[in-house]
Amino acid sequence: MSLELGQPIPDFTASATSDTTFTLSALRGKQVVVYFYPKASTPGCTTEGGDFRDRKAQFDAANTVIIGVSRDGIRAQENFKAKQDFNFELISDKDESVCQLFDVIKLKKLYGKEHLGIERSTFLIDSEGNLAHEWRGVKVPGHVDEVLAAAQALHNGH
C-alpha cells in the first residue's frame, strides 16, 4: 500500500513513551509530524530529535504535534527521550506495523552487508488527517527547518 499526497492516512494506534498510547485520529484538528529514525541513541537520530526538540515551540505555534518512530523497544525509547530531554513522545514500533503503513522499511547496506532497516523519513499530516508532505531518504542537517517551514505554511493556509 502506498500513501499519496492529499489522501487520508489510515488511522493507527501504537505504544508510546510516558505510558501513552498514540492514536492518529485523536489528533484531528492538529497537524502531525511523524518522523521515522533508524535507531535510538545513535548520532544522526540524536541530532534529528534534538532539532525537533529545539523547535517544538515553533511547531506548537503552527498547531503541529511531533511524534518520533523507530523499531526500538519502549525502554530504549524512554531512555533516549529522557537522556536527550525530548519534549515530545516516541513510538515503539517493534512489530513494524507503523513502519509498514508508511512504507519506510528498506534494504540498506552497512559495512557491505545488506539488512532491512528504517529509511529516515518524515511525514506531515494536515489537520484533517491527510498526507500533506513527505520526505524520504532524509539527510539530517537542515531537515527540521524544512519540515517546520512546511508546517507553518500549511497552518497559514499556503
Side-chain angles (χ1 to χ4, degrees):
M1 187 194 121
S2 69
L3 301 175
E4 292 183 32
L5 290 176
Q7 295 301 307
I9 301 277
D11 196 22
F12 66 92
T13 298
S15 297
T17 48
S18 305
D19 256 344
T20 60
T21 299
F22 177 90
T23 302
L24 184 61
S25 60
L27 293 171
R28 285 291 183 275
K30 289 189 179 293
Q31 297 175 173
V32 182
V33 167
V34 181
Y35 82 95
F36 291 84
Y37 57 94
K39 191 159 179 50
S41 302
T42 55
C45 302
T46 300
T47 300
E48 185 180 24
D51 288 348
F52 276 114
R53 175 196 63 218
D54 296 346
R55 290 165 185 74
K56 183 170 183 296
Q58 292 160 281
F59 278 101
D60 288 347
N63 193 35
T64 305
V65 174
I66 302 163
I67 185 88
V69 185
S70 76
R71 299 184 300 181
D72 295 288
I74 199 74
R75 180 173 292 153
Q77 297 289 51
E78 291 285 9
N79 290 343
F80 187 35
K81 181 183 176 214
K83 189 172 175 198
Q84 301 303 325
D85 206 21
F86 290 159
N87 44 12
F88 53 87
E89 303 305 335
L90 302 174
I91 287 175
S92 167
D93 190 34
K94 281 181 90 79
D95 69 359
E96 298 182 1
S97 59
V98 183
C99 289
Q100 299 289 346
L101 175 65
F102 286 88
D103 189 29
V104 297
I105 301 288
K106 303 292 180 196
L107 195 60
K108 299 166 84 176
K109 269 194 168 134
L110 186 65
Y111 307 119
K113 289 196 171 103
E114 290 190 332
H115 68 282
L116 286 172
I118 292 180
E119 176 183 54
R120 192 181 305 278
S121 308
T122 303
F123 301 86
L124 175 61
I125 302 166
D126 71 19
S127 58
E128 279 146 36
N130 300 310
L131 181 61
H133 287 274
E134 65 177 7
W135 294 264
R136 293 180 181 271
V138 166
K139 301 285 180 253
V140 173
H143 174 62
V144 173
D145 291 327
E146 251 183 77
V147 177
L148 178 60
Q152 289 168 330
L154 186 63
H155 178 61
N156 295 328
H158 298 297

